[in-house]
Every structure is written in structure tokens, then in C-alpha cells.
Amino acid sequence: MTARPLPVSGSIHLDARGGDRALRVSWHHESGLVVLSLWHGNVCSGSFRLPVDEVPTLIDALRAGLDQQYDLALGRRLDPAG
């Protein structure tokens, strides 16, 4: 089984645990979808098709988590006891 090439508009994110796990994000404008797929080496082990109109909600959730993480990190940096 061979991995399919990533579409022109997409990205690959490596898993924090290392190894050869990755998340691929690929836009499929012709279908109105963003596909999130989990890869182990060159094998796709699962995928999720997200309608484009739901992408802003996902982005909001990711942004909220990022903001919270930033606030926590900033608090640790400013805390003289930490």
C-alpha cells in the first residue's frame, strides 16, 4: 500500500510521541471538505471529513486551547515562586 500524495493545499503534522505517526490536513475545495487523516508510516489508519462550513468552529476550539496554554505559560513565567 502506497501513500497518496498530499494535495497542494494541505499540511502534515508529526505526532509529539515521535515515531512515524502524523496527521495530514488536506483541503478538497471541489467537495467542500477538509480531510483530517491519521498516518502511521505510509498507511492511513483513519480519516475524518469535515465540511468547510464547520472549519471555523474547529479553529475556534484550537485557538481557545492555545490561548489558555499561553496564559498558563505566561503565568508560570511571571510567578516568582514558579
Side-chain angles (χ1 to χ4, degrees):
M1 181 179 271
T2 304
R4 296 176 58 178
L6 186 63
V8 173
S9 56
S11 59
I12 298 174
H13 305 273
L14 300 178
D15 192 294
R17 296 172 288 185
D20 55 357
R21 296 181 184 109
L23 169 71
R24 285 189 183 185
V25 179
S26 56
W27 285 88
H28 296 271
H29 298 287
E30 72 287 351
S31 304
L33 296 169
V34 174
V35 177
L36 307 169
S37 53
L38 299 173
W39 290 79
H40 192 258
N42 65 349
V43 177
C44 177
S45 59
S47 65
F48 185 88
R49 297 173 187 275
L50 184 67
V52 170
D53 61 344
E54 293 182 27
V55 170
T57 304
L58 174 61
I59 291 171
D60 288 345
L62 293 171
R63 183 65 208 193
L66 182 61
D67 288 345
Q68 183 179 13
Q69 184 64 40
Y70 178 78
D71 289 344
L72 289 170
L74 182 61
R76 282 191 299 264
R77 205 173 68 200
L78 296 177
D79 182 3

